[in-house]
Amino acid sequence: MNSMFRALIPAAMLVLSACGAGGTGEPPLAGARIGGPFTLTDQNGKIVSDGDFAGKYRIVYFGYTYCPDVCPTDLTKVGAALRTLDKQAPRTAQKIVPLFITIDPERDTPAQLKQYVGNFHPRLIGLTGKPEAIAQVAKAYAVAYMKQPTPSGYLMGHTQVAYLMGPDGKPITSLPLEKDPPAIVAELEHWVH
Ligand code: NI
């Protein structure tokens, strides 16, 4: 019994410290050159800068509203994860701002974003801007995109990633979009404190 007690203590302490310190383990993206300043326009036509989110964790996802499959699937998962957090851990949820940055500013006007983001989560912020501003922020986040003409118009190929950024604007990790919402919830609960 004594040896079993000893064996359990370190494991329990490990779990506690990992949780209490905001993830004692090094964040997977610690030190990565991802993120940076931006000034864009939100779905209400308001000018928004990265500094407006100082002190908040951010989920940063790049995509476009005309995306036929990938973006809606990913945003549905992120939205579901955030709704779970809203219920399970509202104080944690309040610390997170989800951002959807378009890589198709030609079609994604603020009005277009407005009728889109609400489908996924009430707090999801849609951001657009001049093509140069979008190119700059995408580059800062290591996101690539490319117009692909189709007979009826065009699609946008783009990097599929949802970054979790810290209150200091530095990258923490990318969220497991390939998994189900509970896995995303677990990841958020692990890093957001
Ligand atoms: Ni997409």
Side-chain angles (χ1 to χ4, degrees), residues 64 67 70-71 158:
Y64 67 118
C67 185
V70 173
C71 292
H158 64 92

Side-chain angles (χ1 to χ4, degrees), residues 29 33-40 50 53 58-75 78 97-105 108 113 116-117 120 124-146 156-165 169 171 173-175 177:
L29 292 178
R33 286 199 194 157
I34 291 164
F38 61 77
T39 300
L40 298 167
D50 57 295
F53 307 115
R58 304 141 223 189
I59 295 171
V60 183
Y61 184 87
F62 289 79
Y64 67 118
T65 68
Y66 287 80
C67 185
D69 39 31
V70 173
C71 292
T73 304
D74 289 346
L75 291 172
V78 170
V97 179
L99 302 176
F100 173 70
I101 304 179
T102 184
I103 43 77
D104 184 16
D108 284 343
L113 287 171
Y116 188 72
V117 290
F120 302 100
L124 181 61
I125 295 173
L127 295 174
T128 186
K130 292 217 162 73
E132 312 82 69
I134 294 298
Q136 194 186 358
V137 68
K139 190 178 173 201
Y141 280 83
V143 164
Y145 57 97
M146 186 189 279
M156 296 295 291
H158 64 92
T159 305
Q160 180 189 10
V161 63
Y163 292 110
L164 177 65
M165 311 293 289
T173 191
S174 57
L175 298 176
L177 295 172

Side-chain angles (χ1 to χ4, degrees), residues 41-109:
T41 304
D42 76 8
Q43 75 272 23
N44 297 310
K46 190 178 145 219
I47 304 293
V48 169
S49 294
D50 57 295
D52 295 333
F53 307 115
K56 293 276 193 185
Y57 290 81
R58 304 141 223 189
I59 295 171
V60 183
Y61 184 87
F62 289 79
Y64 67 118
T65 68
Y66 287 80
C67 185
D69 39 31
V70 173
C71 292
T73 304
D74 289 346
L75 291 172
T76 296
K77 284 185 182 182
V78 170
L82 284 173
R83 274 195 301 279
T84 300
L85 262 193
D86 285 338
K87 284 195 214 112
Q88 261 178 26
R91 291 183 64 187
T92 300
Q94 296 286 324
K95 295 178 186 174
I96 304 169
V97 179
L99 302 176
F100 173 70
I101 304 179
T102 184
I103 43 77
D104 184 16
E106 189 179 322
R107 290 184 293 195
D108 284 343
T109 59

